[in-house]
């Protein structure tokens, strides 16, 4: 019995989709655990799980949408994923905007998540662009693809030497835009005089 080319392509597509799903599910759990590990006593595991699942799903969704629009650079992923995460108003996790080699031809932008009151450098990079919609994440300090040594002298020697110095820097203006708008405090109503 011969299978048509179309039937084979359908089977391959569904096999790949299941594989991507399994990879994403493992990554979702692993990122949630890594976020809790940022500060086990203060990070809410439910927030960590929600952030992880939302970032993964938004990254895939962005890739699908960008396929039919004139968008899809690293900053587009960061802004769109960041906007969705901002809506969730996390209490124990903080969103930051990271830039590696800003204003250079190979600039990359991504989100960085930290526990509250934790420095940017101790955070986790969330990059939807780097793997074309499959969310990439790792500790800022461990991001070997964005090390300072890959530019300049070491970069010209092949860029394989590890420096351990990250190229990621925080963009404070973009970070400010990722913070939830403060909830307006209701104005106190003037006291009414009681009629006698």
């Amino acid at each position: 019995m011969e299978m048509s080319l179309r039937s084979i392509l359908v089977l391959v597509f569904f096999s790949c989709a299941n594989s991507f799903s399994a990879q994403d599910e493992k990554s979702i759990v692993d990122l949630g655990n890594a976020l809790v590990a940022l500060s086990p006593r203060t990070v809410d595991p439910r927030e960590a799980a929600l952030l992880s699942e939302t970032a993964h799903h938004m990254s895939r969704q962005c890739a699908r949408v960008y396929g039919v629009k004139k968008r899809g650079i690293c900053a587009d992923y960061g802004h769109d994923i960041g906007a969705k995460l901002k809506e969730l108003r996390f209490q124990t996790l903080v969103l930051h905007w990271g830039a590696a080699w800003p204003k250079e031809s190979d600039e990359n932008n991504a989100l960085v998540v930290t526990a509250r009151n934790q420095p940017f450098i101790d955070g986790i990079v969330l990059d939807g662009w780097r793997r074309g919609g499959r969310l990439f994440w790792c500790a800022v300090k461990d991001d070997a693809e964005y090390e300072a040594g890959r530019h300049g002298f070491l970069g010209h020697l092949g860029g394989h030497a590890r420096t351990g110095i990250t190229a990621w820097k925080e963009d404070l203006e973009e970070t400010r835009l990722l913070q939830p708008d403060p909830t307006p405090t209701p104005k106190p109503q003037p006291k009414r005089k009681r009629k006698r």
Side-chain angles (χ1 to χ4, degrees), residues 3-13:
M3 289 183 83
S4 71
L5 180 59
R6 183 176 175 176
S7 298
I8 292 171
L9 290 175
V10 168
L11 286 173
V12 169
F13 172 78

Side-chain angles (χ1 to χ4, degrees), residues 50 54 58 79-91 95 177-181:
L50 179 60
T54 303
M58 279 300 299
H79 285 126
D80 291 348
I81 296 169
K84 186 64 173 177
L85 294 175
K86 177 181 175 176
E87 290 175 6
L88 300 175
R89 305 181 71 81
F90 296 111
Q91 299 298 306
L95 299 174
L177 297 173
L178 288 168
Q179 304 317 303
D181 300 323

Side-chain angles (χ1 to χ4, degrees), residues 69-138:
K69 290 187 174 184
K70 300 264 186 215
R71 290 176 54 88
I73 63 172
C74 56
D76 294 334
Y77 277 92
H79 285 126
D80 291 348
I81 296 169
K84 186 64 173 177
L85 294 175
K86 177 181 175 176
E87 290 175 6
L88 300 175
R89 305 181 71 81
F90 296 111
Q91 299 298 306
T92 65
L93 295 165
V94 179
L95 299 174
H96 304 263
W97 187 269
W101 306 305
K103 300 187 184 357
E104 294 187 32
S105 62
D106 51 356
E107 174 178 353
N108 190 18
N109 297 283
L111 299 172
V112 171
V113 181
T114 64
R116 188 153 301 284
N117 300 317
Q118 199 171 47
F120 172 88
I121 194 71
D122 292 337
I124 295 174
V125 173
L126 304 180
D127 189 345
W129 170 82
R130 195 181 310 190
R131 301 290 185 263
R134 193 180 91 227
L135 187 70
F136 170 87
W137 62 270
C138 75

